[in-house]
């Protein structure tokens, strides 16, 4: 069971993946679903948010309890295969930023 991010103790980490997709699916949707399912099973995984616009630009933010969990996820063999396929056929460009979340707050009407 995951504690909602708004209720988690800080600090924790955010991996911000920004990308521009290529045309067509080419198995991307299925692999993206697989990656989320697998990440949810990884120790240290806290949650994920993902957004993509009609032009193919997107942002996926995954949240992790510590840097070791992030390194372990990056080293996962299926995740490495997805990274390879991303470079070969799914992305025109992407970047990754890893940030430490020091404080959170939210508003809901």
């Amino acid at each position: 069971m995951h504690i909602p991010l708004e209720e988690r103790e800080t600090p924790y980490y955010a991996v911000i993946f920004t990308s521009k997709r290529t045309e067509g699916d080419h198995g991307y949707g299925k692999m993206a679903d697989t990656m989320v399912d697998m990440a949810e099973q990884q120790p240290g995984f806290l949650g994920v948010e993902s957004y993509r616009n009609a032009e193919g630009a997107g942002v996926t933010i995954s949240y992790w309890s510590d840097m070791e969990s992030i390194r372990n996820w990056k080293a996962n063999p299926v995740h490495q295969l997805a990274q390879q396929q991303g470079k070969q056929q799914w992305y025109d460009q992407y970047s990754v930023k890893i940030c430490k979340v020091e404080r959170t707050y939210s508003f809901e009407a």
Side-chain angles (χ1 to χ4, degrees):
M1 177 180 136
H2 294 291
I3 298 169
L5 290 169
E6 299 81 26
E7 298 173 18
R8 287 204 64 80
E9 267 190 55
T10 54
Y12 55 86
Y13 293 84
V15 177
I16 304 168
F17 179 82
T18 57
S19 64
K20 175 76 169 94
R21 282 284 322 277
T22 57
E23 294 280 330
D25 184 78
H26 309 287
Y28 175 83
K30 183 177 179 183
M31 183 61 86
D33 291 343
T34 298
M35 290 297 96
V36 170
D37 291 343
M38 287 180 61
E40 288 176 342
Q41 303 306 311
Q42 295 290 307
F45 178 79
L46 303 176
V48 66
E49 301 172 298
S50 192
Y51 311 94
R52 187 162 305 281
N53 69 18
E55 291 78 36
V59 178
T60 298
I61 308 169
S62 60
Y63 299 96
W64 301 86
S65 61
D66 52 57
M67 289 298 295
E68 182 180 2
S69 297
I70 294 168
R71 283 190 290 274
N72 290 340
W73 174 237
K74 183 168 177 52
N76 177 290
V78 179
H79 186 210
Q80 287 184 342
L81 175 64
Q83 292 171 57
Q84 214 171 27
Q85 285 182 283
K87 290 176 183 176
Q88 293 171 354
Q89 62 185 8
W90 294 327
Y91 299 111
D92 284 331
Q93 66 84 25
Y94 69 81
S95 69
V96 178
K97 298 164 192 75
I98 300 174
C99 307
K100 187 175 187 179
V101 178
E102 297 283 348
R103 183 170 68 111
T104 68
Y105 57 91
S106 61
F107 168 79
E108 186 173 330

